[in-house]
Amino acid sequence: METHKQLTIGLFGFGVVGEGLYKVLQQTPSLKASIKKVCIKNPGKRRNAPASLFTTDKNDILNDRDINVIVEVIDNADAAFEIVATALRNGKEVVSASKKMLAEHLPELLALQKETDRSLLYEAAACASIPVIRNLEEYYDNDLLHSIRAIVNGSTNFILTKIFEEGLDFKEALLLAQQLGFAESNPKLDVEGFDAVNKWTLLLNHAYGIVERPENILFNGIQNIQAGDAAVARSKNQQIKLVAQAKKLQNGKVAAFVLPQFVNHDEHLAFVKNEYNGVVIESGFADKQFFYGKGAGSFPTASAVLSDIAALRYHYRYEYKKLYHHTPHELSNDIFLRVFVSFDNLALIPKEKFEWIEEWHAQEERKYLVGVIAFEELKTGTWWKESNTSLVLTPDPVIEDVELRKLKKKSLELAGVAG
Ligand code: HSE
């Protein structure tokens, strides 16, 4: 029987996650994993660990032959890529939590793993404590995954909860998310949806074998959401959440996006508050499954890193089954979305771009409409993110091409003009 590997770790980064991992490892001696060196950027900062552990020279770790595992939890995506690429080339196994770096360099990292025959694990990079990557990778057969809907960013969920349920204002809520260590050092990445779409890029790969640049996936954050939007949600017994969604279409392709969405109060995702994340998977035979756990913060994120380190003991690696062992899916833009749009000035809303408009509310303090629009219109236009306009998806927003044609025909028939 193969013995478990002794793991000697070189750690990059000693911030919220790095320090969390250091403490967690001290509490898990049975793992037989020890940190030999920690590379940091700023040697002047006070750290809760012996000074001899730290270095500012990355080569002290990358060229140390005793170190067989690199754990990379730094903030700078470009530097992180250099570290991870060099570590793999130097024959080391790698665990990373840098979702931005991983999402932006996915094709190169896939190639590097093949070329170097090393393992790169990153469970902490999506939904922190929820083991969603390994589940998508190992458990589901490609054809059975009908859809995934998820809250993948803890900070925006925390902010929405604090504003709409506890009455804080946006700035207070964001400050609190920063103080608690949930937010990115550049909080724009959270608030404007960049972090969520980076995570979605990774999950789309493990769920469907899709390799796509994050900027090619339709996304927005919560920056445009207004108090009036939340009031509409409340009046319908709904909440607004930032939801990442992927749905397998009848044409075999997958529609995917990350947008604010109205969520019915009795849905699983409505249960997800504060920095928690949640993932609802619909598959052929299991039907609906709900994964829930902390999506940000020191220990929850460190727990996922720890689990990856533990998995390296038995030489675990992602096989990228959906990409290499199945026919990978393609993304599709051939859908329509039922959207709520609130605005100050109707003149700035291109009404002609909608297939139809179902509701007009022009008398309210904050005016809004509900209508159906082609996905492609949102991908190519930016009006819906500008001039204080707010776009929120309705629950169950996806209308496929065939359905749209049927709905149009029916409404013409009802109007007595068919044929
Ligand atoms: N800023 C991220 C979030 C941290 O709020 O979800 C965890 O990835």
Side-chain angles (χ1 to χ4, degrees):
M1 204 175 78
E2 195 171 13
T3 50
H4 285 163
K5 233 169 138 172
Q6 174 72 40
L7 304 177
T8 306
I9 299 169
L11 174 63
F12 283 85
F14 206 72
V16 173
V17 183
E19 188 175 350
L21 178 70
Y22 176 72
K23 288 184 187 156
V24 163
L25 275 174
Q26 281 180 324
Q27 290 171 39
T28 40
S30 58
L31 189 60
K32 290 208 189 106
S34 56
I35 298 179
K36 185 171 176 194
K37 264 285 170 269
V38 183
C39 185
I40 46 165
K41 199 169 62 181
N42 181 356
K45 243 190 205 167
R46 239 187 71 81
R47 319 261 175 187
N48 295 318
S52 59
L53 202 59
F54 296 97
T55 176
T56 51
D57 181 357
K58 62 180 180 187
N59 293 321
D60 282 352
I61 290 179
L62 292 169
N63 295 336
D64 184 330
R65 284 170 174 274
D66 291 345
I67 291 176
N68 52 6
V69 176
I70 300 294
V71 176
E72 176 282 304
V73 289
I74 67 171
D75 203 34
N76 178 326
D78 294 334
F81 180 67
E82 283 309 311
I83 289 162
V84 168
T86 310
L88 290 169
R89 288 205 178 97
N90 287 2
K92 302 182 191 307
E93 318 288 350
V94 180
V95 176
S96 169
S98 296
K99 49 265 159 110
K100 185 171 186 288
M101 178 279 286
L102 293 160
E104 286 174 354
H105 292 279
L106 187 57
E108 297 98 306
L109 290 169
L110 288 168
L112 262 171
Q113 286 170 82
K114 271 192 173 169
E115 179 192 316
T116 60
D117 201 24
R118 293 291 123 182
S119 182
L120 167 62
L121 302 180
Y122 43 83
E123 189 61 70
C127 301
S129 73
I130 309 177
V132 63
I133 294 181
R134 244 185 278 173
N135 264 302
L136 289 172
E137 182 63 37
E138 302 300 337
Y139 188 82
Y140 299 94
D141 189 271
N142 207 16
D143 290 334
L144 297 180
L145 269 182
H146 294 330
S147 73
I148 317 177
R149 294 179 71 231
I151 291 171
V152 296
N153 181 267
S155 299
T156 44
N157 203 53
F158 180 88
I159 292 169
L160 290 172
T161 308
K162 293 296 173 217
I163 296 180
F164 297 129
E165 294 184 26
E166 294 176 28
L168 266 64
D169 71 28
F170 188 92
K171 272 195 185 148
E172 283 172 327
L174 173 59
L175 189 66
L176 207 52
Q178 287 175 303
Q179 284 166 350
L180 291 167
F182 304 151
E184 299 301 300
S185 51
N186 174 6
K188 184 181 146 148
L189 294 176
D190 295 299
V191 172
E192 298 187 13
F194 294 96
D195 180 71
V197 80
N198 287 335
K199 290 167 176 165
W200 208 228
T201 304
L202 300 175
L203 295 185
L204 284 173
N205 181 27
H206 290 281
Y208 292 110
I210 290 167
V211 181
E212 190 53 88
R213 298 265 169 211
E215 62 271 22
N216 291 339
I217 297 169
L218 179 69
F219 77 96
N220 200 10
I222 61 166
Q223 71 275 21
N224 298 340
I225 291 175
Q226 309 273 324
D229 305 343
V232 172
R234 261 194 297 275
S235 74
K236 296 184 177 176
N237 218 356
Q238 294 169 340
Q239 297 172 26
I240 298 177
K241 298 281 188 193
L242 184 61
V243 178
Q245 185 158 344
K247 184 174 179 178
K248 202 165 158 192
L249 305 176
Q250 291 175 37
N251 65 11
K253 295 185 180 180
V254 172
F257 45 85
V258 180
L259 291 169
Q261 187 168 357
F262 290 112
V263 172
N264 288 322
H265 78 285
D266 56 355
E267 263 195 70
H268 292 95
L269 292 186
F271 178 75
V272 180
K273 310 274 185 196
N274 292 312
E275 79 273 25
Y276 279 83
N277 283 181
V279 185
V280 178
I281 293 179
E282 281 195 63
S283 65
F285 300 120
D287 206 340
K288 234 178 215 186
Q289 292 161 308
F290 177 46
F291 299 81
Y292 171 77
K294 285 194 171 165
S298 181
F299 286 161
T301 313
S303 80
V305 175
L306 182 74
S307 176
D308 281 348
I309 294 171
L312 288 177
R313 280 184 314 167
Y314 49 89
H315 310 278
Y316 179 73
R317 62 181 57 183
Y318 302 137
E319 284 178 66
Y320 297 95
K321 291 190 182 69
K322 319 296 167 64
L323 179 63
Y324 298 136
H325 301 182
H326 293 264
T327 310
H329 282 87
E330 278 175 52
L331 279 183
S332 169
N333 294 340
D334 289 338
I335 56 159
F336 298 82
L337 294 172
R338 184 172 274 112
V339 299
F340 158 103
V341 181
S342 75
F343 48 86
D344 293 337
N345 184 357
L346 179 60
L348 299 176
I349 305 298
K351 300 173 279 296
E352 70 288 352
K353 290 194 189 297
F354 284 78
E355 296 299 312
W356 65 79
I357 290 174
E358 299 174 347
E359 288 182 38
W360 281 106
H361 297 263
Q363 307 309 324
E364 324 285 315
E365 199 174 318
R366 173 82 179 165
K367 302 174 196 50
Y368 70 91
L369 61 81
V370 177
V372 172
I373 191 161
F375 187 77
E376 196 70 55
E377 291 288 355
L378 299 183
K379 277 201 92 172
T380 50
T382 52
W383 60 269
W384 56 278
K385 291 184 177 185
E386 290 161 2
S387 313
N388 217 16
T389 304
S390 161
L391 180 140
V392 183
L393 296 178
T394 60
D396 204 10
V398 177
I399 303 177
E400 296 198 37
D401 204 26
V402 273
E403 289 165 346
L404 187 97
R405 274 185 263 134
K406 274 191 214 151
L407 286 170
K408 270 190 162 170
K409 191 162 171 257
K410 206 163 146 196
S411 69
L412 286 174
E413 279 165 6
L414 284 175
V417 291

